[in-house]
Amino acid sequence: MNTLSRRALFRFLGLVGISSLAACAPTPGAPTAAPATAPAAETPKAPSLEATLEIWTYPRTENDLEIVYKPLMEKFTALYPGIKPEIDVQPWGGRREKLYAACAAGEPPDIWYATTDTLPTYVQKDIILPLQDLFTPEELADYTESEIAAASYNGILYMPLQEAEVNGFGYNAKLLRELGYDPQTAVIETWDDIYALAEKAKAKNWYVEGIRTVDWAEWVVTLHEAGGSVFSADRTRSLMTEQPAIDTLTRWVTEFKNGWVPLEYAVGSEQEAQGLPSYWLSGEQVTARTEDAACWRDVESAPELEYVIGHPRRKDTSLKLVSGVVSGQGWGITKLSQNKEAALVWVKFMITPENIGLFSTLAGTTPVGTRAKQEFWKPKSPCVLEHVSRFSPHLFADQDANTLWQESKLTCAPHFQAAVLGKETVEEALEAIDKELNKLIKERFG
Amino acid sequence: MGVASQRRRFLRKLKSSLPWYPFIFINIVVFVVFNFVPWISMLQISFQETDLLSFRKFVGLGNYLALFQDKLLGVALSNTFLYALMYVPPTAAFSLFVAILVNRKIFGAHIFRAAYFLPNITSISVICLVFLRFLSPRPDAPANYLLGLLGIPPQRFLVSVEQALPSLARLGLWESFGYYMLIWLAGLQGIPSELYDAALVDGASGWRLHRYVTIPLLRPTAAFILVVSTIGALQVFGSIYIMTGGGPVYATTTVVYYIYQQAFILGKFGFSSTISILLFLIILAITYLQGRYLRFGEEVY
């Protein structure tokens, strides 16, 4: 009977092993991804273009396809009948991972709804097409300077913005009244104001606010309220052992220790935050960090909630008022897209002031651009305008907004948890964070 | 035996097996495409520093050496083994106990079987979201309220460094015991009734019947359940991803969750592939030992 001899088997296995190891070695000069070909700089003859665009976006309403995109795409298809946009509304959770995996597999969408805080990573991973010379000044004229800056990295425009969140604070007027405050005149601005309110709320078994240790934006904003920042302006070192960081973490520890904030928010998954109970909507939390549309959206979800727009905060009156970090969404074109010209046509269509205004009107978000806001945006409620005008002047955008965002929250959250659960002192936690962040900076920026 | 007759026998065997080869071929294709190729690709990536997108750098055994220097990986491994210890024996024992109960000829046994199996066919996301509320540390949360009725003070469950992993292991038990109960049940119903009759004639009854007939004859089923539940425990991910995010303070960071973090949040696909290979080797070793000592696959009667 013919059998495979042991020697032949070893020879075969040896060959397999050698070929696998050879496959591991990089091919000199071989590019890791197909080089992106930028579309022609001149305006493409769009009506004659024929393409099917795969567009990944993330929900703003209960049915974005019908409510937001149907009217817009009807307009688009009338103008460009050859381009067929296929909108895929995906969940917000895990969106980055899915995009990276699709790009790695060589099957990315043509366009996706990119977020400003992840722009450096998109650039670093080489998945986003630079759009610097592909727009005329007129096409970008409605954006403010800071909106262009937020959509750019190292001076290059990547993701023209469609909307920007204006985060601020909301108060539960009913609870405020029961705690002896007049909701129309009450101003909860300094940390002492918060502590005083927290003690009163605790007596009634309510929470003053909600602090999530895995929410990096929450930390960055609170740290700015204390006059600090996570990274030095030149992004060369962490500032997490300096006094503002100590004050900020001490505040968190104080609030958790005293039961002023929900204990379960100390732990949790960043990706699945919506799984936690909302004491704000259930009427057991006096103030909350809220986005612009919350003044009507939260009330729609919880009709009992008596929503009053809050105020920007600061540690004490010697410091600047802070409401939130500039955060926006815009359209990124993937470098691997096979339909770059058509994708550019679609993006240009979406970012006209008229369509930015219409998009935000339909989606219940806040538009970017001056004319878009003034002429084409009809917010669902006038309270959104009030929110935007109260908090917009106190938004900040500095190195913290786009430096090691994902990595920082992964590094810091366990130490924040250790501090608020009494496993580490504030100083120990911040020392450990500082060491890890500096290591990350060295790894990433040299 | 002549060469000609050997060849005839071989051709006869081949001819009789031929109709089955297409079925085997389909499985081989599925295995190669969805298991073997990704596995080889993972092995290849484990020798690289890469985010799979913008750069690939051959680092030889660099990622393997880094395994020994990574303190968090040590924590993740320890948490994974602890989870397996807290999950596998209780799950096997409890599901056997329930299987014995529902194997009796009692009214409504089918309803109980279906009810116990229900958590297993419910999405893990739904279960986790329900349990996030059930296990809230508030004194008036459902779990703490029930404990309060027994005079036990409120527990922190998922928010406590000490309790988070045991809480997840108990959740895992609740979610999966119905599945193992069904396997035990199949094992129980496969025991010939003559053996019980013989034992009864010999004077055995009650617990002694189970001790000397049921349990020894369930060894193959036990081996299967222990191997499968151990593999499941070592790969736990969903409940951690949804409920604790690996916290508090790394208390629920298991190896698979750590692999996910390294790959999809930090973009270190090379290092995460190396950890995946380490996990594969650990599972292989444990399964081999279990198979060897539990004599997996052997007939008992």
Side-chain angles (χ1 to χ4, degrees):
Chain A
M1 195 161 71
N2 283 336
T3 52
L4 184 67
S5 74
R6 192 178 288 182
R7 184 179 292 178
L9 176 70
F10 283 145
R11 200 181 297 150
F12 171 73
L13 289 176
L15 275 172
V16 170
I18 289 165
S19 23
S20 327
L21 281 176
C24 298
T27 317
T32 53
T37 319
E42 68 268 17
T43 312
K45 287 169 188 161
S48 64
L49 272 175
E50 283 202 5
T52 300
L53 291 175
E54 190 181 347
I55 300 155
W56 286 8
T57 180
Y58 310 100
R60 285 303 193 192
T61 67
E62 66 271 23
N63 185 356
D64 277 21
L65 278 183
E66 277 297 310
I67 299 170
V68 183
Y69 291 99
K70 197 178 168 198
L72 279 161
M73 291 311 100
E74 278 171 1
K75 273 175 75 179
F76 179 80
T77 315
L79 283 170
Y80 308 105
I83 303 175
K84 192 181 165 210
E86 286 185 352
I87 312 274
D88 185 358
V89 183
Q90 303 185 358
W92 284 96
R95 65 191 186 282
R96 297 182 188 92
E97 293 84 344
K98 193 170 176 190
L99 177 77
Y100 302 157
C103 290
E107 289 185 358
D110 296 294
I111 300 166
W112 86 102
Y113 208 32
T115 40
T116 49
D117 59 34
T118 322
L119 181 55
T121 313
Y122 300 145
V123 176
Q124 201 174 32
K125 287 186 183 293
D126 204 24
I127 58 179
I128 190 165
L129 187 76
L131 304 176
Q132 185 64 14
D133 302 319
L134 306 176
F135 288 87
T136 62
E138 294 75 40
E139 284 166 335
L140 301 173
D142 197 38
Y143 287 118
T144 63
E145 258 179 51
S146 65
E147 286 161 355
I148 292 286
S152 309
Y153 188 67
N154 288 339
I156 298 170
L157 178 74
Y158 284 96
M159 41 168 287
L161 296 187
Q162 187 77 32
E163 55 170 304
E165 282 153 26
V166 178
N167 288 311
F169 295 91
Y171 302 154
N172 182 322
K174 189 179 159 201
L175 302 192
L176 274 184
R177 250 193 316 274
E178 289 194 35
L179 295 174
Y181 291 80
D182 176 0
Q184 298 312 316
T185 56
V187 178
I188 315 297
E189 185 182 282
T190 65
W191 290 9
D192 284 340
D193 295 338
I194 297 166
Y195 290 171
L197 179 65
E199 276 175 4
K200 289 181 184 171
K202 172 76 181 167
K204 295 262 189 188
N205 219 12
W206 296 328
Y207 299 114
V208 69
E209 59 181 342
I211 294 174
R212 297 189 61 242
T213 58
V214 291
D215 186 343
W216 184 239
E218 179 106 38
W219 170 264
V220 172
V221 174
T222 316
L223 180 57
H224 278 71
E225 287 175 18
S229 68
V230 178
F231 298 104
S232 59
D234 57 2
R235 294 186 174 97
T236 54
R237 66 191 178 94
S238 138
L239 304 178
M240 290 287 270
T241 49
E242 299 200 351
Q243 196 55 44
I246 296 172
D247 292 338
T248 306
L249 191 53
T250 305
R251 175 178 149 192
W252 279 20
V253 171
T254 308
E255 294 201 44
F256 275 103
K257 206 182 270 176
N258 290 319
W260 293 345
V261 290
L263 182 60
E264 59 254 65
Y265 289 11
V267 180
S269 167
E270 199 260 336
Q271 294 85 355
E272 296 293 330
Q274 70 274 25
L276 286 168
S278 169
Y279 297 111
W280 166 247
L281 293 180
S282 66
E284 297 164 86
Q285 186 178 312
V286 188
T287 76
R289 200 176 289 280
T290 54
E291 38 96 31
D292 28 45
C295 60
W296 64 264
R297 201 175 275 162
D298 286 1
V299 176
E300 246 182 27
S301 307
E304 295 287 303
L305 178 66
E306 233 182 279
Y307 192 106
V308 177
I309 294 170
H311 299 86
R313 290 179 177 177
R314 52 185 161 186
K315 182 174 169 280
D316 57 57
T317 48
S318 68
L319 296 164
K320 267 196 323 192
L321 285 165
V322 171
S323 59
V325 61
V326 173
S327 166
Q329 278 81 39
W331 303 105
I333 300 176
T334 53
K335 267 199 171 177
L336 292 175
S337 165
Q338 300 298 311
N339 303 301
K340 292 189 184 72
E341 274 189 73
L344 189 64
V345 169
W346 191 85
V347 172
K348 285 186 178 187
F349 167 83
M350 288 299 286
I351 63 154
T352 58
E354 189 184 349
N355 288 335
I356 285 181
L358 176 60
F359 177 96
S360 284
T361 304
L362 300 170
T365 57
T366 302
V368 286
T370 315
R371 281 183 60 218
K373 266 197 202 89
Q374 290 168 357
E375 294 174 33
F376 303 108
W377 181 40
K378 295 186 189 82
K380 185 164 176 175
S381 161
C383 72
V384 180
L385 269 180
E386 193 187 336
H387 177 107
V388 170
S389 52
R390 183 172 297 180
F391 292 109
S392 280
H394 306 290
L395 292 174
F396 65 90
D398 59 15
Q399 67 282 1
D400 286 359
N402 60 15
T403 305
L404 299 173
W405 188 273
Q406 296 298 323
E407 294 86 345
S408 301
K409 73 178 162 202
L410 200 67
T411 303
C412 299
H415 294 289
F416 293 156
Q417 291 167 357
V420 301
L421 297 175
K423 298 287 175 189
E424 285 177 5
T425 63
V426 166
E427 286 73 19
E428 282 168 351
L430 292 173
E431 287 278 347
I433 288 172
D434 189 64
K435 215 167 133 185
E436 289 177 39
L437 286 184
N438 280 327
K439 196 176 148 204
L440 268 172
I441 291 170
K442 206 173 163 192
E443 268 177 26
R444 195 56 63 90
F445 305 116
Chain B
M1 199 183 288
V3 176
S5 84
Q6 262 190 356
R7 179 173 290 175
R8 267 200 307 276
R9 250 183 67 187
F10 173 74
L11 286 175
R12 206 169 45 238
K13 266 185 169 178
L14 187 68
K15 203 176 163 189
S16 66
S17 308
L18 220 51
W20 302 106
Y21 283 138
F23 297 100
I24 297 169
F25 180 72
I26 292 168
N27 269 316
I28 288 175
V29 169
V30 170
F31 173 78
V32 168
V33 172
F34 294 106
N35 290 71
F36 189 69
V37 171
W39 207 95
I40 293 295
S41 165
M42 181 178 71
L43 187 68
Q44 186 181 334
I45 291 167
S46 74
F47 293 104
Q48 298 172 353
E49 192 185 317
T50 177
D51 64 352
L52 292 185
L53 296 170
S54 50
F55 68 95
R56 277 173 197 266
K57 189 177 145 197
F58 182 69
V59 291
L61 294 173
N63 287 329
Y64 288 88
L65 295 174
L67 290 177
F68 297 100
Q69 292 156 358
D70 193 324
K71 284 182 195 161
L72 274 182
L73 177 61
V75 174
L77 280 167
S78 146
N79 286 339
T80 307
F81 289 129
L82 268 174
Y83 179 88
L85 276 178
M86 288 186 280
Y87 169 80
V88 177
T91 304
F94 185 65
S95 54
L96 172 61
F97 173 70
V98 178
I100 291 173
L101 287 182
V102 299
N103 194 34
R104 290 161 181 266
K105 285 174 182 150
I106 52 168
F107 180 73
H110 288 90
I111 296 170
F112 285 118
R113 285 179 205 170
Y116 291 143
F117 193 64
L118 206 59
N120 197 250
I121 52 167
T122 308
S123 153
I124 186 73
S125 316
V126 174
I127 290 175
C128 290
L129 293 179
V130 170
F131 271 82
L132 259 179
R133 309 218 167 199
F134 187 76
L135 296 176
S136 163
R138 281 167 62 115
D140 56 354
N144 273 331
Y145 175 76
L146 293 173
L147 290 177
L149 295 178
L150 302 171
I152 300 170
Q155 301 296 306
R156 289 186 161 195
F157 299 115
L158 301 170
V159 184
S160 155
V161 173
E162 292 77 21
Q163 290 181 32
L165 198 63
S167 300
L168 290 178
R170 284 193 292 269
L171 171 67
L173 186 156
W174 180 82
E175 189 260 338
S176 64
F177 84 91
Y179 169 72
Y180 295 115
M181 176 201 74
L182 277 192
I183 296 171
W184 283 121
L185 209 53
L188 283 168
Q189 292 177 354
I191 298 173
S193 59
E194 294 84 358
L195 294 175
Y196 286 107
D197 296 340
L200 284 169
V201 169
D202 288 345
S205 62
W207 161 245
R208 287 163 67 86
L209 210 57
H210 287 308
R211 166 73 183 81
Y212 293 106
V213 180
T214 313
I215 293 175
L217 295 182
L218 280 178
R219 188 175 47 72
T221 313
F224 173 79
I225 286 177
L226 288 177
V227 168
V228 171
S229 61
T230 305
I231 293 173
L234 295 175
Q235 294 179 335
V236 62
F237 176 76
S239 54
I240 293 164
Y241 177 81
I242 295 168
M243 296 175 85
T244 61
V249 202
Y250 303 115
T252 60
T253 300
T254 56
V255 176
V256 177
Y257 189 75
Y258 192 58
I259 290 170
Y260 159 77
Q261 277 191 333
Q262 291 294 315
F264 289 101
I265 300 183
L266 298 181
K268 295 179 176 177
F269 280 87
F271 187 53
S272 65
S273 296
T274 313
I275 308 173
S276 304
I277 287 168
L278 174 73
L279 180 66
F280 166 76
L281 292 175
I282 290 170
I283 292 177
L284 190 71
I286 292 175
T287 310
Y288 172 76
L289 289 174
Q290 282 180 330
R292 193 183 161 98
Y293 287 102
L294 294 166
R295 288 174 288 156
F296 186 55
E298 276 183 27
E299 290 294 331
V300 283
Y301 53 87

